[in-house]
Amino acid sequence: EDQVTQSPEALRLQEGESSSLNCSYTVSGLRGLFWYRQDPGKGPEFLFTLYSAGEEKEKERLKATLTKKESFLHITAPKPEDSATYLCAVLTIYNQGGKLIFGQGTELSVKP
Amino acid sequence: DVKVTQSSRYLVKRTGEKVFLECVQDMDHENMFWYRQDPGLGLRLIYFSYDVKMKEKGDIPEGYSVSREKKERFSLILESASTNQTSMYLCASSPQTSGYTFGSGTRLTVV
């Protein structure tokens, strides 16, 4: 069964304290791994797509990496505005199209 | 930018009412999806559609139905709303085999 597990469930950081979020997956044929950011009361906002092991993507203080079994979202010198829930999802092929399977998310809180 | 528009941000409905949640996308995407999101349970797929007039059940379809008469519009229907359907409902669209673009969500409260 395809499965995505994120850890930790919640993470509290001080401003400037770098850390990483983990997303481990078991899927029969990875077609892509996606990271989203979600602010309270809003829809998820796309951050990155990774397709193959060894691939890395960066955006401001965020960097996503991918191995054959997991992905990491590294946050360097975070700021309070980085506080949000970060969702990881893997793309599987289903019938004529693709379907994303989501992890439970990591709730990040950055204190000034 | 792709836009996915959900018709309402907040809705309050009574138990037993028939409820329609509307979603429109403007980028000619083939795929459209309806999720609900609840604390501790994450995103759960209700229904999805790969083409006009085509629908597939997700993980939790009970109590819901959908309609896709036009490519750009995907409607979620709660046949007889119940309090356990109080939730955040998220619509998304995507090209054939790619990631999703989400709408802003509809927070539905059933009283």
Side-chain angles (χ1 to χ4, degrees):
Chain A
E1 182 185 351
D2 297 333
Q3 196 167 10
V4 179
T5 304
Q6 291 187 246
S7 61
E9 290 184 12
L11 181 61
R12 294 183 179 183
L13 300 174
Q14 290 296 126
E15 185 171 3
E17 180 187 1
S18 301
S19 188
S20 297
L21 282 54
N22 177 263
C23 171
S24 63
Y25 60 90
T26 54
V27 61
S28 52
L30 181 70
R31 299 291 191 272
L33 185 139
F34 298 79
W35 282 98
Y36 288 85
R37 169 192 170 126
Q38 187 175 24
D39 293 302
K42 296 186 178 181
E45 177 185 339
F46 170 77
L47 291 173
F48 302 111
T49 308
L50 302 165
Y51 290 104
S52 58
E55 190 175 358
E56 299 182 352
K57 295 275 181 71
E58 283 189 70
K59 180 180 180 180
E60 296 181 353
R61 296 176 291 282
L62 299 176
K63 178 179 173 180
T65 61
L66 181 65
T67 71
K68 289 186 177 179
K69 292 185 177 181
E70 59 190 350
S71 176
F72 292 93
L73 185 64
H74 307 279
I75 304 176
T76 303
K79 298 181 178 181
E81 53 262 42
D82 295 321
S83 297
T85 295
Y86 291 86
L87 297 168
C88 168
V90 295
L91 180 67
T92 62
I93 300 302
Y94 184 88
N95 287 345
Q96 302 166 37
K99 183 172 70 169
L100 283 180
I101 299 172
F102 285 87
Q104 296 286 343
T106 293
E107 185 177 352
L108 174 65
S109 174
V110 182
K111 300 297 183 185
Chain B
D1 282 352
V2 176
K3 284 192 179 173
V4 178
T5 303
Q6 294 185 230
S7 54
S8 305
R9 289 299 307 275
Y10 301 95
L11 274 179
V12 180
K13 296 292 181 181
R14 295 195 178 277
T15 301
E17 275 193 78
K18 191 168 186 176
V19 181
F20 293 86
L21 302 183
E22 305 288 345
C23 177
V24 178
Q25 52 98 359
D26 66 358
M27 281 298 290
D28 203 35
H29 284 172
E30 292 85 1
N31 306 331
M32 296 190 75
F33 306 83
W34 275 107
Y35 285 84
R36 65 178 283 178
Q37 187 175 34
D38 302 287
L41 296 176
L43 282 155
R44 293 182 292 169
L45 182 62
I46 305 171
Y47 266 97
F48 55 106
S49 170
Y50 292 129
D51 204 350
V52 176
K53 296 189 185 293
M54 180 266 176
K55 60 186 178 185
E56 293 262 2
K57 292 180 180 180
D59 301 318
I60 52 163
E62 295 78 21
Y64 303 94
S65 62
V66 290
S67 173
R68 193 167 182 199
E69 296 296 318
K70 294 184 178 181
K71 191 173 186 179
E72 67 270 20
R73 187 180 296 270
F74 193 36
S75 303
L76 180 69
I77 304 156
L78 285 66
E79 298 292 342
S80 177
S82 63
T83 55
N84 63 13
Q85 293 179 309
T86 292
S87 185
M88 168 72 101
Y89 288 87
L90 289 162
C91 175
S93 75
S94 75
Q96 271 289 9
T97 54
S98 184
Y100 300 174
T101 299
F102 282 90
S104 300
T106 296
R107 184 163 294 282
L108 172 67
T109 302
V110 182
V111 298

